[in-house]
Amino acid sequence: MLARQSSDRDNRPFATFLIFTLGVHHIYMINALTFSSHVFAFPLALLLSVAGFKCFERGILQGFGARVIWLLIGAQCIALCAGPAA
């Protein structure tokens, strides 16, 4: 999803590789991978964050009733993404 949003169609494979490489070698991910109890927390937080912002994007493009629902779902995803990190 990140590669689709951040690059054009021809550069998506390289963008996917780059995002994966940077994500795995990020200092917090390296730290998380050393503790078996927290391995799932950081990818879950990243997934919830991306899903929340996609909901925000979809909510902006909708009418008022659907906009409120999508923005509330996005806000809940962003709130939940802070939970695993705490």
Side-chain angles (χ1 to χ4, degrees), residues 55-56 66-78:
C55 289
F56 287 154
R67 176 181 296 171
V68 171
I69 292 170
W70 281 112
L71 293 178
L72 287 174
I73 293 171
Q76 185 62 43
C77 286
I78 297 296

Side-chain angles (χ1 to χ4, degrees), residues 1-76:
M1 287 172 46
L2 291 173
R4 187 178 297 144
Q5 290 292 111
S6 63
S7 65
D8 58 354
R9 186 174 179 86
D10 295 333
N11 292 328
R12 279 189 198 152
F14 179 69
T16 303
F17 171 75
L18 196 65
I19 290 168
F20 175 77
T21 303
L22 291 174
V24 170
H25 292 95
H26 192 270
I27 188 70
Y28 294 121
M29 186 58 84
I30 291 171
N31 194 16
L33 293 176
T34 60
F35 300 104
S36 62
S37 64
H38 296 111
V39 170
F40 190 66
F42 288 100
L44 175 64
L46 179 64
L47 175 69
L48 287 170
S49 178
V50 170
F53 281 106
K54 288 298 286 182
C55 289
F56 287 154
E57 181 183 34
R58 184 172 287 180
I60 290 171
L61 302 175
Q62 299 293 322
F64 179 73
R67 176 181 296 171
V68 171
I69 292 170
W70 281 112
L71 293 178
L72 287 174
I73 293 171
Q76 185 62 43

